[in-house]
Amino acid sequence: MPGPVYRKPFWRPRLPEVGREIASLDARRDCQRIVHLLTNYEFPFDIVRSTEIALFHTYGSRSVSRLLDRTGEFRKHGQKRYDDTRLLIARFMQCGWDVEAGRKSLEQMNHIHSFFRIPNEDFLFVLWTFIDFPIQWVQDYGWRPFTEHEREAWFHYWCEIGRRMGLKDIPEDKAAYDAFIRDYEAREFVPDAASHRVAQSTVDILAGWVPRPLRPLVSPISLSLVPKRLLPAIQFESPPAWVGSLVRGALKLRKHVKRHVSLERYPSTLETTLNRTYPGNTYRIEGLGPDYAHRDAE
């Protein structure tokens, strides 16, 4: 991503230059740079977690889940499916669409989608989760909330991603988009076996990241962070109230601590994060996704 690179060892305080640059940029024209700074400097942990919850929320749609269930990717290649999705989306969040790696990631994602007939409203629903969930998560658990300027840039960024995916009728503002989603969820958020299977496969992936004795905790912890309206659609019971209180309390404690203490290095990039499927980040963008969607490198 063109622009200054700010470097902070873990022991240095958070650099105010990052926030000052964001405030100096135009929310529409410079939205790629603003998203890069928010993702790789200001809120790396929060944006990763919020986009994971966003993807999980999409399983509430019976239309989305039936397609995911039919492909069998979550069931047969769960960790790879997770990593491929993360790498494609995180790459164009890190680079934008003007840098070659970001452009190729967006092209590969569109290529994968081209094998299926996906309704426009399903695309709009999934796109909305990437707008709404990070804003809400940072509001609740970030060391500071997004500013109005940052929320505007975040919205414009994802709307442009939608246009580059060929989506039609993207609502012009967040309020109109929220109203569209309320109507969509009223139709599509109904109990469905496919939604349950895909959600369970994802919980199984997450459980594989922790030692065996801790795996029973993964489901209640994860489910305590999703919107309550999702649970009936994916046919999961609500976790005990005390689990949710404990998890949210821990995240809010982190929020208050991070206002004053930041032990993270930055920039935080894909190259500095754990990659389970591709150790050492040895992968080609054109080779991400199901086998049938692999392409020769350009």
Side-chain angles (χ1 to χ4, degrees), residues 104-209:
K104 285 185 175 183
S105 293
L106 193 51
E107 289 175 352
Q108 181 64 11
M109 188 172 70
N110 288 338
H111 176 64
I112 294 168
H113 289 156
S114 71
F115 288 87
F116 309 98
R117 296 180 62 182
I118 303 174
N120 187 67
E121 65 175 8
D122 287 357
F123 272 128
L124 288 174
F125 166 60
V126 175
L127 183 71
W128 172 86
T129 67
F130 282 91
I131 296 172
D132 187 75
F133 276 68
I135 292 174
Q136 292 302 318
W137 177 284
V138 171
Q139 178 75 34
D140 293 338
Y141 307 122
W143 65 272
R144 65 167 178 85
F146 280 1
T147 65
E148 182 60 37
H149 175 66
E150 289 165 344
R151 288 194 292 270
E152 182 183 358
W154 193 264
F155 180 81
H156 288 313
Y157 175 87
W158 285 104
C159 287
E160 181 59 27
I161 289 292
R163 285 187 281 272
R164 289 169 183 267
M165 293 173 62
L167 275 63
K168 300 177 176 61
D169 303 320
I170 300 173
E172 294 184 359
D173 56 52
K174 183 64 163 53
Y177 214 153
D178 290 345
F180 168 82
I181 293 300
R182 285 193 293 271
D183 291 341
Y184 176 90
E185 290 188 357
R187 296 191 308 273
E188 292 296 332
F189 270 47
V190 295
D192 193 275
S195 297
H196 179 78
R197 285 192 293 269
V198 175
Q200 184 61 61
S201 294
T202 302
V203 170
D204 292 341
I205 295 169
L206 301 179
W209 298 354

Side-chain angles (χ1 to χ4, degrees), residues 8-123:
K8 184 184 86 65
F10 77 93
W11 46 267
R12 285 191 61 185
R14 189 177 289 110
L15 300 181
E17 292 86 347
V18 179
R20 285 201 288 265
E21 184 188 348
I22 292 173
S24 73
L25 298 172
D26 183 85
R28 186 183 291 267
R29 183 191 64 236
D30 302 317
C31 63
Q32 295 178 82
R33 177 67 179 173
I34 293 174
V35 167
H36 168 78
L37 292 171
L38 292 173
T39 301
N40 296 100
Y41 291 90
E42 295 286 87
F43 305 103
F45 171 88
D46 300 285
I47 288 178
V48 170
R49 298 290 83 76
S50 64
T51 52
E52 289 172 346
I53 298 294
L55 283 171
F56 198 85
H57 187 74
T58 65
Y59 306 154
S61 165
R62 59 183 169 182
S63 178
V64 170
S65 286
R66 286 175 180 177
L67 173 59
L68 295 174
D69 187 55
R70 190 163 66 249
T71 67
E73 287 295 311
F74 277 93
R75 185 177 65 258
K76 294 181 289 187
H77 312 291
Q79 184 63 56
K80 182 179 184 301
R81 172 62 165 76
Y82 170 89
D83 284 334
D84 287 358
T85 301
R86 178 182 68 88
L87 291 169
L88 289 172
I89 294 174
R91 181 62 67 185
F92 61 71
M93 288 179 70
Q94 180 173 303
C95 297
W97 49 79
D98 289 333
V99 173
E100 182 181 20
R103 175 182 58 78
K104 285 185 175 183
S105 293
L106 193 51
E107 289 175 352
Q108 181 64 11
M109 188 172 70
N110 288 338
H111 176 64
I112 294 168
H113 289 156
S114 71
F115 288 87
F116 309 98
R117 296 180 62 182
I118 303 174
N120 187 67
E121 65 175 8
D122 287 357
F123 272 128

Side-chain angles (χ1 to χ4, degrees), residues 274-292:
L274 177 64
N275 190 326
R276 292 177 172 83
T277 303
Y278 309 98
N281 286 290
T282 53
Y283 64 89
R284 293 171 35 255
I285 292 173
E286 299 86 352
L288 297 175
D291 291 345
Y292 54 77

